[in-house]
Amino acid sequence: MYVPVKGGERAIENAHKLLAEERRGNRDTPDLDVAQIDEQLALAVDRVMTEGSLYDRELAALAIKQARGDLIEAAFLLRAFRTTLARFGYSIPIDTGQMVVRRRISATYKDLPGGQVLGPTFDYTHRLIDFSLLEGADPENLEEGESDMGVTPHVLNILDREGLMEPANGSSGAQERGEDGEVHVGDLTREPLEFPADRDIRLQRLARGDEGFLLALGYSTQRGYGRNHPFAGELRLGEVRVGFVPEELGFEIEIAEITVTECEMVNQFKGSKNVSPQFTRGYGLTFGHCERKAMSMALVDRALRAKELDEEVEAPGQDEEFVLAHADNVEATGFVEHLKLPHYVDFQSELELVRRMRAEIEAAKVRNGDAEQIEAAE
Amino acid sequence: MAETSGYNFAYLDEQTKRMIRRALLKAIAVPGYQVPFASREMPMPYGWGTGGIQVTASIVGRDDVLKVIDQGADDTTNAVSIRKFFKRTAGIETTTQTHEANIIQTRHRIPEEDLRADQIMVFQVPIPEPLRFLEPRETETRKMHALEEYGLMHVKLYEDISQHGHIATTYAYPVAVKQRYVMDPSPIPKFDNPKINRSPALMLFGAGREKRIYAVPPFTDVHSLDFEDFPFEIQTWREACALCGATGSFLDEIVTDDAGGRMFVCSDTDFCEKRREAGHAGPALAAEGAV
């Protein structure tokens, strides 16, 4: 009789078995190899690494396999693993100016030092389904060419030299420095998010944030909600070295080479009482190849600088608490999906109240009805 | 059950536990105040009790006995899952009996049985800020707490009364802790609010996604907000528990058919079982026994 909430433990175990079975699918189809995911679903891996905040292609690919292709679930798996890892220290900031560039475009100059390099891009492809892929057709082999690319300078530095562009660390140029004079960079994974947040924390939050959410917010700033006309000053994709100074060595060693996408937006700025008109920056950086995310992040970063630049804060994209509190998809999906958990105690409380209030209204109606009848009789 | 290897006792590393314990101490020192803490990603989703789990993981020792309830019941799926998590990662003893446990992690209920001074309640909290639905901005609500500016909350309660004749809050009913901080007791039914007042047990509240910890130390005055002419009152039922016949416990409504049939049973399953063992029988069992 009283069974609906009994047997939770066995139900959970059976559900997990069923999930494993569904994940595997039809056993006549070969099991998916993690290397295949890494190689052939590389952009999914890139997104999961970025939002999971952990640079490990194999683990991200494994998470995608385990999550049955649910990328938010995969990012969550990666985050839950990441949080258990020991923290040895902080790397030296990567120098994207030293990037070995595979793709680099600027929408603000026709040509520039280092040139425009299209690289591997969906841009200019015609979005026609390629049925030859059904048959597993391999693309033609490419000849290996000689790279003549040296170091590619940042586009925005060209403007900077003329004083038309604000410095990279913002118009104020102020950065928090510790007692040792070093620049202190916040870390959301070690300290709770507090408002108002500084730009370092904002950028970290955006970098971990959901691509879809940032895309929609960035889009909204283009459509007049906090309008601030942006130009894609530069978008670059390539490999950078990660340096680290172990305390026991005392000098820098290279610990990794990682792929990143970087976007620098150039935005107009009319100037304020203290600052003459110049261009301002919005910045986006992701692991792997995540152009859409990097661009959206740059738009939102710039929008969130409204207060710093004395602009009116009037649109969702400029609203720091709104954006930062809701950008994290692991948090968001948890809270939305927790509605699946039982809430019957709270619901019972509401039921009781609604029934009581309805009963009181009914009783009042009866009373009023009686009064009217009496009046009519009189 | 086999303990999971490769992880520290109770999952969290000791540095994280220390950070959380410091937040807990601060929370106990300033009753009802929400202490920000660097909440970690847990291997279960936000909204599934990650705050409570982190608090429990930080205070649990090898000799502790843990009870986990959700909606008052030990056998709801998420309670089962959390209990299993601590069995696996800490290898500690668990129980479903309130009096055997010295740590009770809960979602949405406080056990009916009186708590003791050697017990700790750990609440899972979704939205720790009692003012959040009146003012969505954290910068504003922190200011309001700092200035003890709770007029907005009283206006809300007053408007409820003027519009509905009642305070229309039935769970997560706001309380004032030690005449200072207004606190969300987590989404427990207001039925349970009086149990927090001057409880001998320590009450800890963890909100993982919102990254806040707060506490009510033992024997602290906790007052459910109300007005002199509209005093706080708890829910009552006309029915008794169909299984154990209890009249003073929180009852869940179980729909038994699609023709309006329903029965009421204790939400606290341990309480209900104990009463049945002691020979009490509600209408449903009495009827069965008679056949």
Side-chain angles (χ1 to χ4, degrees), chain A residues 307-324:
Chain A
K307 214 183 272 175
E308 170 199 342
L309 296 169
D310 269 335
E311 294 167 339
E312 210 169 323
V313 176
E314 52 193 1
Q318 299 170 309
D319 185 330
E320 174 182 277
E321 282 204 36
F322 178 79
V323 174
L324 299 188

Side-chain angles (χ1 to χ4, degrees), chain A residues 1-2 4-9 11-13 16 76 79-84 188-196 205 208 319-322 328 330-353 355-357 360, chain B residues 1 7 11 36-38 40-48 70-71 75-78 80-81 84 107-109 126-127 136-139 164 166 168 170-171 187-189 209 211 233 235-237 243 250-254 262-267 269 273 284 288:
Chain A
M1 171 186 55
Y2 183 40
V5 291
K6 293 274 180 194
E9 190 149 2
I12 292 175
E13 263 167 35
H16 291 173
F76 177 24
R79 290 255 195 110
F81 175 75
R82 174 197 198 277
T83 196
T84 66
L188 270 175
T189 66
R190 301 282 126 172
E191 297 143 32
L193 174 63
E194 290 188 50
F195 299 110
R205 186 74 169 173
R208 288 158 61 94
D319 185 330
E320 174 182 277
E321 282 204 36
F322 178 79
D328 192 296
V330 175
E331 289 175 10
T333 197
F335 200 48
V336 167
E337 295 198 47
H338 107 284
L339 293 173
K340 293 181 285 192
L341 291 179
H343 282 78
Y344 46 77
V345 165
D346 292 349
F347 187 66
Q348 184 62 43
S349 302
E350 297 276 270
L351 261 181
E352 193 260 355
L353 179 70
R355 280 188 186 134
R356 187 145 53 102
M357 285 173 27
E360 281 167 11
Chain B
M1 193 180 305
Y7 289 101
Y11 184 75
F37 81 111
R40 299 289 191 255
E41 271 102 358
M42 297 300 282
M44 45 278 270
Y46 289 114
W48 257 249
D70 186 345
Q71 315 293 302
D75 49 9
T76 33
T77 41
N78 202 41
V80 169
S81 164
K84 204 167 159 185
R107 178 168 170 264
H108 295 196
R109 276 311 311 276
I127 305 268
R137 274 166 212 288
E138 181 68 13
T139 40
H164 312 296
H166 295 278
T170 56
Y171 58 92
I188 54 173
R209 188 178 40 76
K211 301 168 182 57
E233 48 187 38
Q235 293 103 331
T236 52
W237 282 259
L243 300 178
F250 190 93
L251 301 179
D252 283 335
E253 183 172 334
I254 312 261
R262 60 172 81 100
M263 60 187 260
F264 290 84
V265 296
C266 291
S267 109
T269 48
E273 275 160 29
E288 266 178 27

Side-chain angles (χ1 to χ4, degrees), chain A residues 58-92:
Chain A
E58 189 184 27
L59 266 187
L62 176 58
I64 291 169
K65 178 177 176 173
Q66 186 181 333
R68 308 176 65 198
D70 180 336
L71 299 189
I72 292 180
E73 179 70 21
F76 177 24
L77 284 170
L78 222 51
R79 290 255 195 110
F81 175 75
R82 174 197 198 277
T83 196
T84 66
L85 300 176
R87 185 69 60 101
F88 298 114
Y90 292 85
S91 74
I92 292 166

Side-chain angles (χ1 to χ4, degrees), chain B residues 13 30 42 57 62-63 67-68 75 95 104-105 107-108 124 157 159 178 191 193 204 240 274:
Chain B
D13 60 280
V30 192
M42 297 300 282
R62 294 195 188 274
D63 301 328
K67 172 182 164 83
V68 184
D75 49 9
T95 182
I104 303 171
Q105 181 169 331
R107 178 168 170 264
H108 295 196
Q124 302 170 200
L157 299 178
E159 282 181 350
K178 227 180 153 214
F191 180 89
N193 275 19
L204 303 176
K274 287 252 175 56

Side-chain angles (χ1 to χ4, degrees), chain A residues 137-208:
Chain A
D138 273 332
E140 60 176 305
N141 287 323
L142 295 184
E143 277 177 42
E144 214 163 298
E146 283 292 307
S147 169
D148 55 353
M149 299 201 0
V151 173
T152 314
H154 276 118
V155 174
L156 267 56
N157 292 350
I158 298 168
L159 285 164
D160 198 8
R161 240 169 267 139
E162 264 186 85
L164 294 172
M165 171 57 67
E166 62 166 353
N169 55 0
S171 54
S172 59
Q175 264 173 320
E176 204 179 319
R177 283 176 192 277
E179 285 170 14
D180 48 4
E182 293 284 302
V183 173
H184 172 78
V185 179
D187 183 355
L188 270 175
T189 66
R190 301 282 126 172
E191 297 143 32
L193 174 63
E194 290 188 50
F195 299 110
D198 286 334
R199 193 169 176 214
D200 51 349
I201 291 288
R202 291 204 308 253
L203 286 169
Q204 186 187 11
R205 186 74 169 173
L206 296 179
R208 288 158 61 94

